[in-house]
Amino acid sequence: MKLKVYNTLTGGKEDFVPLEPGRVKIYVCGVTPYNHPHIGNARPFVVWDVFRRYLEYSGYDVLHVQNFTDIDDKIIKNAQAGNLSWQEVAGKYIESYFAVMDRLGVKRAHIYPRVSEHISEVVALTASLIEKGYAYALDGNVYYRVEKFSDYGKLSKRNLTDMQAGARVDVDENKEHPMDFALWKAARPGEPSWESPWGKGRPGWHIECSAMSLRYLGAGFDFHGGGSDLIFPHHENEIAQAEASTGCRPFVRYWLHNGFITLNKEKMSKSLGNFFLIKDILEKYDPQVLRFFILATHYRSPLDFSDDLMDDARRALERLCTAKDCLARLKLLPGRGPDAAGAELIAAALRLKADFIAAMDDDFNTALAVSYLFSLAKEINIYAQKPGGGEPPDGKAVQTAAGVFDMMSSILGVLETDGKTETDGKTADIMAVLIKLRQAAKESKDYKTADSIRNDLLQIGVILEDTPRGVQWKFK
Ligand SMILES: [Zn+2]
């Protein structure tokens, strides 16, 4: 495997070399469960699902950790507004997260740590930063001392002066530097809080991801991901915390960030009223269409969401479904020995497989990989339409094309069972028996029986088609 990835930290494409041979450790910043997941949330989790599937296909043993920020101002606010506990609000939206991600075919991470369950790790990390001189307590709060960490800004490529210029003015006058950020926040009335050496309080946001990734993956792990909006300050601060505390540099080997999603070319925001929830989109579109739509663009490029583009994605996916159905029907026909058309199909499938792998090895270029899946679909359709005088297909060619087609679609996670066109093995076997019986009836000139089999199947929604490659069937 010659995987190259674009590393935000170095600003270039690099060969991927795991910390431990054969193992890949991934940390992806998860959601703050204060609302149902929106379209912007779909992108990082779908692309990381594909990265993980590809790494697994490449033979790596993957450990995937993704957090839930279940203590946060917005959760506390929603809880107060709805007269609920913060646990109820977080619990409800964590459930909602899983419901939509399951529908999108996103495999579950191996570990989903929640900050509320890792307060002791956060306190220990904060204490170690104070002890090393990288943090200081102030009126029950603890702040990170950014000037002490000489690499501060290395991920986002900014210096402290630039940061201050772009920062919002909510500066605590007593902080040593305006960019010093909170590791621990002193308790406020009516908010959840925990005991600490600095009094009752709760964790700042950034510290949780350092504490939990170090706990589950150790310092120096392979991949850290999230949206590009997290580069600064969240990931910059994670680096400052973890590297100052452990002395391990780099704390993460490869930082991968996905691009923004715009809606009809506008930045998504609640105030613009274009803040789309995934669950609402899935009322209109099949989850596979949304997944395919996301993967048809390179993960680092901006992605514009609109109904027109989703309709294009739906049509494109239909073409792939046609090829998949076609393969399923070819597989039902009895195979025979090699022929010239079959040899061409095998050569095309193997060439496209190599192209697909090269695209995925080039910084997970799913946009290009998808185009090779289309090329294969086209080859399969051409083969199925080739006149063969009613001959059965070249069994090995069909098997090879189907193998490559399944490999590509399972890495992308598209064309997964939707319950409509998919058949189990039993249905296929039963259909093969019926087709054989009808064939036998025709051969003995019993057209009445042959027609009755066709018509009775039609009544229950199964269409038989006489094709150049034999009788094929599909659901109406
Ligand atoms: Zn995070």
Side-chain angles (χ1 to χ4, degrees), residues 27-30 67 69 205-206 208-210 224-225 230 234-235 238:
Y27 187 92
V28 181
C29 286
N67 67 305
T69 302
W205 171 31
H206 316 297
E208 71 176 271
C209 286
S210 299
H224 196 312
L230 296 182
H234 187 53
H235 290 163
E238 275 192 53

Side-chain angles (χ1 to χ4, degrees), residues 334-343 345-346 383 392-399 469:
R336 62 170 188 81
D339 60 21
L345 181 61
I346 290 174
Y383 179 77
D394 177 341
K396 185 156 181 278
V398 171
Q399 208 186 0
R469 298 240 170 233

Side-chain angles (χ1 to χ4, degrees), residues 333-400:
L333 297 171
R336 62 170 188 81
D339 60 21
E344 275 173 35
L345 181 61
I346 290 174
L350 296 180
R351 189 187 69 238
L352 291 165
K353 178 183 177 180
D355 289 344
F356 180 95
I357 289 172
M360 291 301 289
D361 276 344
D362 183 15
D363 194 27
F364 302 112
N365 191 340
T366 58
L368 195 54
V370 160
S371 76
Y372 296 125
L373 180 56
F374 275 106
S375 303
L376 180 59
K378 196 172 150 199
E379 298 288 342
I380 290 164
N381 289 334
I382 291 171
Y383 179 77
Q385 295 309 318
K386 265 191 186 146
E391 288 169 279
D394 177 341
K396 185 156 181 278
V398 171
Q399 208 186 0
T400 305

Side-chain angles (χ1 to χ4, degrees), residues 84-105:
L84 297 163
S85 67
W86 62 270
Q87 290 95 332
E88 285 170 311
V89 172
K92 175 181 169 186
Y93 293 117
I94 286 173
E95 222 171 272
S96 170
Y97 169 85
F98 283 128
V100 293
M101 292 302 154
D102 285 351
R103 292 188 67 198
L104 287 173

Side-chain angles (χ1 to χ4, degrees), residues 70-343:
D70 66 346
I71 305 167
D72 171 86
D73 290 343
K74 296 192 220 64
I75 294 174
I76 295 168
K77 210 174 121 199
N78 281 6
Q80 285 165 349
N83 214 10
L84 297 163
S85 67
W86 62 270
Q87 290 95 332
E88 285 170 311
V89 172
K92 175 181 169 186
Y93 293 117
I94 286 173
E95 222 171 272
S96 170
Y97 169 85
F98 283 128
V100 293
M101 292 302 154
D102 285 351
R103 292 188 67 198
L104 287 173
V106 173
K107 285 190 187 185
R108 296 210 175 184
H110 301 98
I111 307 171
Y112 285 103
R114 302 181 186 191
V115 58
S116 66
E117 292 165 359
H118 294 79
I119 302 293
S120 60
E121 283 87 345
V122 167
V123 167
L125 182 57
T126 306
S128 95
L129 288 167
I130 293 179
E131 198 189 303
K132 294 185 162 82
Y134 286 97
Y136 55 95
L138 185 70
D139 306 330
N141 300 299
V142 179
Y143 291 106
Y144 189 95
R145 185 175 275 134
V146 291
E147 283 185 303
K148 166 90 175 164
F149 186 68
S150 56
D151 278 351
Y152 195 67
K154 69 175 169 180
L155 184 72
S156 55
K157 324 283 180 237
R158 306 177 196 200
N159 60 39
L160 280 171
T161 319
D162 301 337
M163 291 175 195
Q164 269 172 270
R168 271 174 286 167
V169 187
D170 58 347
V171 175
D172 176 342
E173 294 295 328
N174 297 319
K175 286 198 297 188
E176 290 178 9
H177 189 280
M179 293 312 294
D180 288 353
F181 58 90
L183 302 175
W184 187 260
K185 297 175 173 178
R188 282 182 290 194
E191 291 189 357
S193 60
W194 288 261
E195 296 292 345
S196 83
W198 318 285
K200 282 189 145 213
R202 62 183 169 101
W205 171 31
H206 316 297
I207 190 84
E208 71 176 271
C209 286
S210 299
M212 299 192 292
S213 60
L214 289 172
R215 154 94 192 262
Y216 293 102
L217 302 175
F221 63 90
D222 302 295
F223 285 118
H224 196 312
S228 49
D229 53 327
L230 296 182
I231 295 173
F232 186 83
H234 187 53
H235 290 163
E236 194 70 63
N237 293 352
E238 275 192 53
I239 291 176
Q241 294 158 160
E243 295 190 357
S245 149
T246 62
C248 171
R249 296 184 190 195
F251 145 64
V252 170
R253 296 164 76 80
Y254 307 94
W255 287 88
L256 272 57
H257 293 99
N258 59 273
F260 287 113
I261 287 196
T262 52
L263 299 177
N264 299 311
K265 304 255 156 94
E266 282 186 79
K267 195 165 186 275
M268 184 173 67
S269 83
K270 268 192 169 162
S271 53
L272 283 175
N274 64 356
F275 189 82
F276 292 174
L277 299 178
I278 302 172
K279 72 181 182 66
D280 296 336
I281 295 168
L282 297 189
E283 281 182 15
K284 199 166 162 195
Y285 294 98
D286 188 287
Q288 286 277 303
V289 174
L290 179 56
R291 186 177 172 107
F292 177 78
F293 167 77
I294 290 169
L295 296 174
T297 298
H298 191 281
Y299 76 91
R300 281 194 286 123
S301 305
L303 176 60
D304 188 47
F305 180 93
S306 71
D307 279 354
D308 284 350
L309 294 169
M310 282 290 280
D311 290 338
D312 289 347
R314 177 163 56 197
R315 281 188 289 272
L317 196 60
E318 275 165 12
R319 294 213 303 277
L320 293 179
C321 287
T322 306
K324 191 187 176 188
D325 290 348
C326 184
L327 266 178
R329 282 180 268 131
L330 284 172
K331 276 199 274 187
L332 292 177
L333 297 171
R336 62 170 188 81
D339 60 21

Side-chain angles (χ1 to χ4, degrees), residues 437-438 440-456:
L437 283 173
R438 175 169 168 264
K442 269 168 100 174
E443 272 158 32
S444 54
K445 300 203 168 13
D446 179 3
Y447 296 113
K448 202 173 151 220
T449 305
D451 288 348
S452 136
I453 292 174
R454 176 199 284 263
N455 294 335
D456 289 356

